[in-house]
């Protein structure tokens, strides 16, 4: 049993949604494109799951956040895919791939063949078990990667309003979920091994601003240690989190956000890998010329840095997906992907954006006791990264623009003095 398509997108997340829109803009014919996804719904804006979806009042629910509303584009509902003749195979896990034969085998036993394959399998959340711990299957331990996880998290959260939540991990999931749990009136303690939150991006000074803000909202931080085990009740629910430093925390629920691994397993040994992802060229094309990889799973050349990177952010998923489709459908016209990395987050009433690379020396600017502040990173004499909290649209555009230009910086003191004014004047 099998079906054949010209184009197949494996994975039905953010990148798949943006790729589908790009295919239709470039004139795909009915019946040529197929999307296969393990999820039970058509592509949606995953960032909503740790933000609007968790709000106690008027929470975001599908169909309101299907792609591509996050980029102010058309919202692609199931009806849209139907009208455009796109076959969407939902609730279906692809269990193997044969790159030489250009086929995918689904868990339901169907073989789907392609002329061009776009791998958009994203990533999975790392489990405690991968760190030698146990307890992920407890009734009140939550992860957050997809709609099913988010729905479960909301159920668990609503069952323990006023109780204690322990958040394991001080990264993006930890920070955004902690804020949502506070808004839902839970007492939150965050536990993570590093000296401060968001250790891979924030400087200690930036982190301390957010931590002070969280503390004022009632969040407690336990840094420099990790959990060692859970105490459980007879219903299989966690009642306390034991830490390596010997202390323990009472818990009515636990949220775990300890990083991800890209879903590359189907292609190990068939495609070249790098940085934990599928290595692609500036056209998002993998080591087999019929295969493209986009989003979290792709390790692509970032021209601006002169090296290959794998990014785990929604903007790169959207843009790499569009680029791959352009490269497939208009190969003569397309240039190398020239991407400026962009990360952002929104928690409580705070909102920051980051562009570029956080390498080299840091120059902070602005009012760290007020609402607007930021930092520049200067590496080998050039400005390579910019961070801004509380900026206006124009200010964010200015730091984005200046970061792409990579201007030479001779005097760090002068840059510090000019602060945001430097970006605005460029
Ligand atoms: P995904 O969106 O993860 O999609 C992968 C899809 O592939 C899924 O549907 C999955 O089920 C499917 N799949 C995988 N393997 C198979 C298989 N074998 N068979 C069938 N289907 C398969 N980034 C930001 O920049 N800003 C944010 O504010 C932000 N918030 C986030 C909040 C949350 C809760 C999460 C989890 C992530 C957030 N991110 C954010 C990251 C961003 O969502 C990801 O970078 C983005 O979703 C990556 O898109 P993708 O299409 O590569 O992968
Ligand atoms: P992150 O990589 O952001 O953070 C994971 C954190 O957990 C790190 O601080 C890590 O420390 C820490 N950690 C690792 N092991 C342990 C442990 N055993 N106990 C306690 N802490 C531990 O991953 P997240 O899980 O927060 O996010 C998952 C994905 O979702 C990422 O791809 C992220 O980009 C994406 N996301 C993005 C958002 C955004 O862009 N606004 C919002 C939400 C999610 P160490 O660094 O030492 O390993």
């Amino acid at each position: 049993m099998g079906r054949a398509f010209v184009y197949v997108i494996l994975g039905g997340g953010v990148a798949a949604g943006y790729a589908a829109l790009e295919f239709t803009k470039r004139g795909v014919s009915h019946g040529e494109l197929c999307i296969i996804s393990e999820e039970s719904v058509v592509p949606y804006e995953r960032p909503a799951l740790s933000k609007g979806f968790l709000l106690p009042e008027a929470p975001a629910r599908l169909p309101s956040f299907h792609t591509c509303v996050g980029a102010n584009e058309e919202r692609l509902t199931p009806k849209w895919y139907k009208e455009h003749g796109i076959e969407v195979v939902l609730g279906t896990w692809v269990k193997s791939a044969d790159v030489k034969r250009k086929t995918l085998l689904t868990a339901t036993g169907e073989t789907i063949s392609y002329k061009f394959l776009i791998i958009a399998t994203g990533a999975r959340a790392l489990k405690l078990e991968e760190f030698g711990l146990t307890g992920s299957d407890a009734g009140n331990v939550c992860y957050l990667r997809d709609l099913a996880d988010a729905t479960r998290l909301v159920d668990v959260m609503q069952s323990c309003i006023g109780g204690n939540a322990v958040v394991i991990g001080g990264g993006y999931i930890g920070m955004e979920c902690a804020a949502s749990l506070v808004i839902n009136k839970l007492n939150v303690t965050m536990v993570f091994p590093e000296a401060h939150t968001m250790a891979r991006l924030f400087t200690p000074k930036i982190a301390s601003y957010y931590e002070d803000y969280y503390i004022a909202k009632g969040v407690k931080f336990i840094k420099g240690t990790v959990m060692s085990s859970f105490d459980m009740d007879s219903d299989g629910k966690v009642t306390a989190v034991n830490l390596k430093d010997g202390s323990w925390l009472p818990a009515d629920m636990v949220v775990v956000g300890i990083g991800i691994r890209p879903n590359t397993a189907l292609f190990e040994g068939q495609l070249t890998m790098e940085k934990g992802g599928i290595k692609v060229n500036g056209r998002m094309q993998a080591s087999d010329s019929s295969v493209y990889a986009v989003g979290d799973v792709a390790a692509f050349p970032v021209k601006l840095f002169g090296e290959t990177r794998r990014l785990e952010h929604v903007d790169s998923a959207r843009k790499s997906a569009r680029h791959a489709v352009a490269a497939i459908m208009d190969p003569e016209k397309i240039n190398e992907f020239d991407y400026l990395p962009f990360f952002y987050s929104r928690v409580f009433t705070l909102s920051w954006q980051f562009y570029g690379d956080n390498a080299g020396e840091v120059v902070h600017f602005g009012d760290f006791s007020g609402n607007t502040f930021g930092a520049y990173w200067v590496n080998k004499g050039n400005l390579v990264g910019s961070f801004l909290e509380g900026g206006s649209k124009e200010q964010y555009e200015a730091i984005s623009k200046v970061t792409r230009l990579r201007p030479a910086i001779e005097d760090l003191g002068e840059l510090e003095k000019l602060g945001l004014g430097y970006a605005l004047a460029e």
Side-chain angles (χ1 to χ4, degrees):
M1 254 288 290
R3 282 187 285 174
F5 295 88
V6 182
Y7 313 104
V8 170
I9 302 172
L10 172 53
V14 171
Y18 283 78
L21 184 59
E22 191 65 30
F23 268 119
T24 60
K25 283 183 182 171
R26 288 177 185 268
V28 76
S29 301
H30 282 227
E32 282 187 338
L33 172 62
C34 170
I35 299 175
I36 313 170
S37 177
E38 185 199 12
E39 293 192 74
S40 58
V41 290
V42 299
Y44 56 87
E45 302 285 357
R46 201 164 300 282
L49 298 181
S50 53
K51 303 175 188 69
F53 197 89
L54 302 183
L55 289 176
E57 306 284 337
R61 289 291 178 266
L62 288 174
S64 75
F65 59 96
H66 280 301
T67 57
C68 300
V69 291
N72 292 322
E73 297 214 45
E74 214 173 329
R75 184 165 55 93
L76 315 183
T77 58
K79 189 163 161 248
W80 181 90
Y81 290 93
K82 212 167 180 188
E83 282 170 1
H84 287 80
I86 299 171
E87 182 73 23
V88 188
V89 184
L90 294 175
T92 302
W93 177 251
V94 168
K95 64 175 188 182
S96 67
D98 188 330
V99 166
K100 281 215 176 77
R101 290 179 180 209
K102 302 189 185 189
T103 56
L104 303 173
L105 178 64
T106 70
T108 51
E110 188 182 13
T111 298
I112 294 183
S113 60
Y114 57 82
K115 194 163 165 226
F116 295 97
L117 173 67
I118 298 182
I119 304 171
T121 45
R124 63 179 174 82
L126 278 174
K127 292 281 168 77
L128 291 169
E129 282 67 12
E130 288 163 87
F131 293 83
L133 302 162
T134 54
S136 286
D137 51 358
N140 55 351
V141 171
C142 302
Y143 289 85
L144 184 53
R145 181 69 202 179
D146 59 21
L147 186 66
D149 294 338
T151 306
R152 185 167 171 271
L153 199 156
V154 167
D155 285 349
V156 174
M157 185 168 70
Q158 283 173 350
S159 73
C160 45
I161 303 291
N164 297 310
V166 176
V167 173
I168 310 278
Y172 285 95
I173 290 285
M175 289 300 273
E176 293 190 4
C177 287
S180 297
L181 289 162
V182 166
I183 294 167
N184 280 279
K185 300 199 177 351
L186 276 85
N187 308 308
V188 179
T189 304
M190 292 182 69
V191 183
F192 49 86
E194 301 97 340
H196 63 76
T197 48
M198 295 285 295
R200 282 186 214 157
L201 178 64
F202 287 1
T203 64
K205 191 175 166 81
I206 294 175
S208 112
Y209 176 90
Y210 293 99
E211 288 172 21
D212 287 348
Y213 190 99
Y214 274 52
I215 288 166
K217 295 275 181 191
V219 176
K220 294 185 191 70
F221 290 96
I222 300 186
K223 305 174 182 181
T225 188
V226 290
M227 68 161 277
S228 52
S229 63
F230 291 134
D231 287 351
M232 305 276 226
D233 65 13
S234 54
D235 294 334
K237 281 193 172 173
V238 172
T239 54
V241 180
N242 298 305
L243 306 182
K244 265 219 170 100
D245 67 6
S247 59
W248 67 278
L249 300 163
D252 297 298
M253 71 178 288
V254 177
V255 177
V256 184
I258 53 175
I260 61 165
R261 281 288 174 277
N263 291 318
T264 56
L266 295 177
F267 302 95
E268 303 282 350
Q270 301 194 69
L271 298 173
T272 306
M273 302 285 159
E274 193 173 332
K275 307 227 156 135
I278 295 167
K279 184 179 164 64
V280 295
N281 61 20
R283 308 168 78 84
M284 311 312 292
Q285 192 173 31
S287 53
D288 180 290
S289 62
S290 306
V291 180
Y292 292 70
V294 296
D296 283 8
V297 86
F300 63 92
V302 179
K303 266 172 99 171
L304 216 52
F305 307 154
E307 64 175 63
T308 296
R309 297 269 173 105
R310 197 182 55 73
L311 300 175
E312 300 173 356
H313 293 273
V314 73
D315 183 65
S316 90
R318 292 168 180 159
K319 290 184 178 148
S320 62
R322 286 177 176 147
H323 195 82
V325 175
I328 292 170
M329 294 193 76
D330 270 319
E332 308 304 324
K333 291 197 195 133
I334 194 79
N335 295 319
E336 304 277 290
F337 191 40
D338 187 7
Y339 182 66
L340 172 68
F342 164 50
F343 317 148
Y344 71 91
S345 184
R346 292 191 302 273
V347 285
F348 298 112
T349 56
L350 303 174
S351 175
W352 59 260
Q353 295 192 7
F354 171 84
Y355 294 88
D357 197 13
N358 58 328
E361 290 176 86
V362 186
V363 170
H364 294 99
F365 61 80
D367 180 6
F368 276 74
S369 56
N371 298 324
T372 306
F373 62 86
Y376 296 119
W377 279 259
V378 178
N379 196 20
K380 297 177 190 148
N382 290 88
L383 189 151
V384 296
S386 306
F387 176 96
L388 181 62
E389 162 63 43
S392 63
K393 191 166 172 275
E394 292 68 31
Q395 289 169 336
Y396 286 128
E397 273 168 14
I399 62 160
S400 156
K401 215 164 131 199
V402 79
T403 310
R404 185 173 269 289
L405 291 171
R406 289 175 62 92
I409 301 293
E410 273 154 27
D411 184 344
L412 293 183
E414 184 64 15
L415 181 65
E416 186 172 13
K417 227 185 304 159
L418 290 170
L420 190 53
Y422 177 79
L424 292 166
E426 277 294 304

